[in-house]
Amino acid sequence: MADLTKVKENLEKKGFIVNVFDTGAEATAHLASEISDKTVGFGGSMTLKEIGLYEELSKNNEVVWHWKLVDYNNLFNEKTKDPSNIRAARDAAMHTDIYISSANALAETGEIVNIDGAGNRVASTLWGHSKVIFVISANKLEPNYEKAVWRARNIAAPKRAASLNKKTPCAIKVDKCYDCNSDERICRGMVTIWKPMQFQEFEVVLIQEDHGM
Ligand code: SF4
């Protein structure tokens, strides 16, 4: 079991609210008890999907998640999605009371790293909400910022590209990032949150159980 004591301390020193749970189910129960009668936007995230957060929060909130508009098994299949609906959902999620995202990597020193293709997820973690919540499992933890960036680029992104059947070099061997120039490149921008952005509350929900990529 990962020791999350140091990362919790470092995040708290930077001004994040931090809560630690053993399981995704406990994290979901915590967030469901904390969030009520709000508008909530979700970023694309296997972690959020795996812990069933959308279903729980939808009981007492208005939750917008573009992933709910498409077939999970064909997430980026142009034939199965309506691009105008997807865009509208991404836009709507940028203007909710609360925005929830996972992360591609977390440094024990307290930096949160995310790579994005469309940009809605990373943009929404920077501005537009009264509160931003990151739900991050211990498998995303790295000892320092450099290694967190390395993880986001060389572990999380290739796994995601492979899961989407992208025609990118990383999706074949899933061994590293090849810094490709493919039209199907999913890594278009990277954002690091060093400290909670001004004028917004930031919470980090840490989970011991493995989730996401
Ligand atoms: S930049 Fe290209 S090769 Fe690197 S992880 Fe992203 S999609 Fe894969």
Side-chain angles (χ1 to χ4, degrees), residues 1-178:
M1 189 178 272
D3 183 0
L4 299 175
T5 314
K6 213 183 271 181
V7 68
K8 180 175 189 292
E9 275 174 19
N10 286 333
L11 286 164
E12 284 174 341
K13 268 188 224 156
K14 289 166 174 276
F16 294 97
I17 298 162
V18 184
N19 287 293
V20 182
F21 300 95
D22 286 340
T23 67
E26 288 171 283
T28 293
H30 158 73
L31 290 169
S33 70
E34 181 177 271
I35 303 169
S36 182
D37 205 20
K38 301 280 188 206
T39 54
V40 183
F42 274 32
S45 162
M46 288 307 291
T47 297
L48 301 185
K49 177 178 179 277
E50 287 167 12
I51 68 173
L53 191 59
Y54 176 89
E55 288 73 15
E56 270 312 298
L57 292 188
S58 293
K59 292 175 183 170
N60 294 311
N61 302 277
E62 189 183 329
V63 187
V64 187
W65 196 11
H66 62 288
W67 276 23
K68 285 291 165 187
L69 299 178
V70 295
D71 178 350
Y72 275 125
N73 297 318
N74 294 283
L75 261 181
F76 288 87
N77 181 340
E78 296 297 327
K79 290 179 186 157
T80 62
K81 71 180 186 183
D82 177 341
S84 61
N85 284 347
I86 299 288
R87 186 178 182 94
R90 284 184 165 123
D91 283 344
M94 293 189 81
H95 303 286
T96 49
D97 300 321
I98 295 171
Y99 192 78
I100 307 181
S101 173
S102 185
N104 295 131
L106 170 66
E108 196 164 45
T109 41
E111 295 84 10
I112 299 165
V113 181
N114 258 324
I115 288 173
D116 208 353
N120 60 296
R121 181 170 67 128
V122 294
S124 294
T125 61
L126 295 173
W127 181 253
H129 314 274
S130 56
K131 182 167 183 173
V132 173
I133 301 171
F134 286 99
V135 180
I136 309 172
S137 287
N139 51 310
K140 310 288 184 73
L141 188 65
E142 292 290 342
N144 57 46
Y145 177 54
E146 288 71 25
K147 288 196 170 153
V149 170
W150 185 90
R151 184 194 193 281
R153 298 195 69 185
N154 291 283
I155 295 179
K159 280 186 179 175
R160 186 71 185 132
S163 76
L164 295 169
N165 295 316
K166 291 292 183 187
K167 293 179 187 63
T168 55
C170 64
I172 299 164
K173 286 166 78 178
V174 200
D175 57 342
K176 64 174 187 175
C177 170
Y178 290 80

